[in-house]
Amino acid sequence: MPQRRAITGRSQEPRARFAEELRLLRNGRGVSLRGVAEVVGWHASQFGKMEHGHTLGGPEIVEALDQYYGTGGMLLTLWELAVADPTQFREQYRRYMILEAEAISLWHYAVSAPPGLLQTAGYAREALAVGWLKGPELEQQVEARLGRRQLLDGEAPPPFRVILSEAVLRTSLRDVEAWREQLAHLAEMAERPSITLQVLPFRAGPHGLMNTAVKFLRLPNGRVVAYTENDLRGELVEENASVELLQRRYDAMRDLAMAPAQSRDFILRTLEEAPCEPSI
């Protein structure tokens, strides 16, 4: 079969296409970045970063640009495709990200850090920077991680169960305010009807997943896959017997965790105990 010829000659990669369309629309209007900023709001540098593919921006700024250019929702559609594009993630995570986007239910166990689906921008930035990311690559990966949170939004998000080791709540960020924001976000997400959040206290003692962060995804065909992860690598587990073994360990550990209401209270107490930035 002959390869399909690109009709427009424009990029077929969602993130690059979004940036390209922004440049074409502005140039078609014959306005500068500063001119767009004066009408739409935000700083001109933000639009420059979006046009160069360094950032995608948020839905509010994209909706404002949609109105400014009169594109009838096209820009927001391109933005959604760019946010969901698995190629923006590092190669070793892409297959998991594709499956995560398709999942009809999810359940996770977090050993030392909040699951990516529940991380704030401040937490994601500091955590990713520890892995030696910096500059535009760091910002792109932060944006990619935050974009995953759309899975939990909307009218019918998939059920999401997460168990946090108490270590997650005791390993604070260097940025005090960013850490308080992360704790508050966890407490807020725990109130959502589609999310069941539990804390596994230190007093629960040893268990079968002490050193393994694990994620389970139930796919539309009913199949369950698992993803195990440490600081160096992640592994997609699809073989039924291995997935079942991990599930049994997860279920045994869940029986040791605090109930959801107690868990949310525990997070709020941790937030109350967290230090505040000293007032000047």
Side-chain angles (χ1 to χ4, degrees):
M1 181 181 292
Q3 188 174 11
R4 187 174 70 85
R5 182 170 63 90
I7 304 300
T8 64
R10 298 179 187 175
S11 175
Q12 303 299 298
E13 192 272 312
R15 190 182 185 99
R17 180 61 174 270
F18 176 67
E20 186 177 9
E21 292 294 340
L22 289 176
R23 293 194 301 272
L24 289 169
L25 287 166
R26 184 175 59 79
N27 290 332
R29 281 281 183 100
V31 294
S32 65
L33 290 170
R34 183 171 296 177
V36 175
E38 289 174 353
V39 177
V40 179
W42 288 274
H43 196 275
S45 63
Q46 174 73 7
F47 298 112
K49 291 177 182 177
M50 292 171 70
E51 289 189 11
H52 285 88
H54 296 159
T55 182
L56 292 173
E60 298 85 1
I61 191 172
V62 178
E63 287 175 343
L65 288 170
D66 247 332
Q67 293 180 5
Y68 174 69
Y69 290 122
T71 45
M74 180 197 74
L75 283 178
L76 190 59
T77 298
L78 290 176
W79 177 83
E80 289 175 339
L81 291 172
V83 168
D85 179 24
T87 63
Q88 66 187 310
F89 298 100
R90 290 183 157 187
E91 187 173 355
Q92 65 264 36
Y93 303 126
R94 289 176 187 171
R95 176 156 166 71
Y96 171 80
M97 295 304 171
I98 292 171
L99 295 176
E100 183 182 80
E102 298 173 353
I104 59 174
S105 63
L106 312 88
W107 54 109
H108 292 187
Y109 169 59
V111 174
S112 58
L117 288 169
L118 298 181
Q119 287 183 14
T120 60
Y123 192 98
R125 183 170 290 105
E126 189 168 317
L128 288 167
V130 171
W132 309 109
L133 292 179
K134 58 183 179 180
E137 185 182 7
L138 172 60
E139 293 308 313
Q140 180 177 335
Q141 289 304 307
V142 169
E143 209 163 59
R145 183 166 293 187
L146 297 182
R148 292 167 57 198
R149 302 195 311 186
Q150 290 190 92
L151 183 69
L152 303 179
D153 297 330
E155 295 182 359
F160 179 42
R161 175 182 290 276
V162 57
I163 301 174
L164 305 177
S165 166
E166 185 176 340
V168 173
L169 305 175
R170 301 301 184 190
T171 309
S172 61
L173 297 175
R174 296 182 182 89
D175 185 327
V176 172
E177 285 308 308
W179 176 236
R180 291 182 60 83
E181 181 184 4
Q182 177 63 69
L183 291 173
H185 181 66
L186 289 173
E188 179 184 343
M189 296 299 282
E191 291 188 301
R192 291 195 180 187
S194 62
I195 296 176
T196 302
L197 189 153
Q198 294 177 264
V199 173
L200 182 70
F202 289 143
R203 66 174 181 272
H207 56 83
L209 293 173
M210 286 177 59
N211 303 307
T212 305
V214 63
K215 308 170 184 179
F216 298 94
L217 307 174
R218 187 177 301 280
L219 304 176
N221 62 6
R223 187 167 65 102
V224 175
V225 299
Y227 186 82
T228 60
E229 190 173 25
N230 58 36
D231 287 338
L232 297 178
R233 64 190 295 269
E235 179 183 3
L236 187 64
V237 182
E238 300 184 75
E239 196 266 324
N240 289 340
S242 298
V243 173
E244 185 177 348
L245 174 61
L246 287 168
Q247 283 186 282
R248 288 203 301 269
R249 293 186 178 191
Y250 183 93
D251 290 343
M253 179 189 60
R254 184 181 60 188
D255 292 340
L256 301 173
M258 291 186 274
Q262 293 175 306
S263 298
R264 184 173 182 274
D265 289 343
F266 188 91
I267 293 170
L268 290 173
R269 287 198 303 273
T270 306
L271 175 58
E272 290 175 0
E273 296 165 2
C276 299
E277 287 284 5
S279 56
I280 299 175

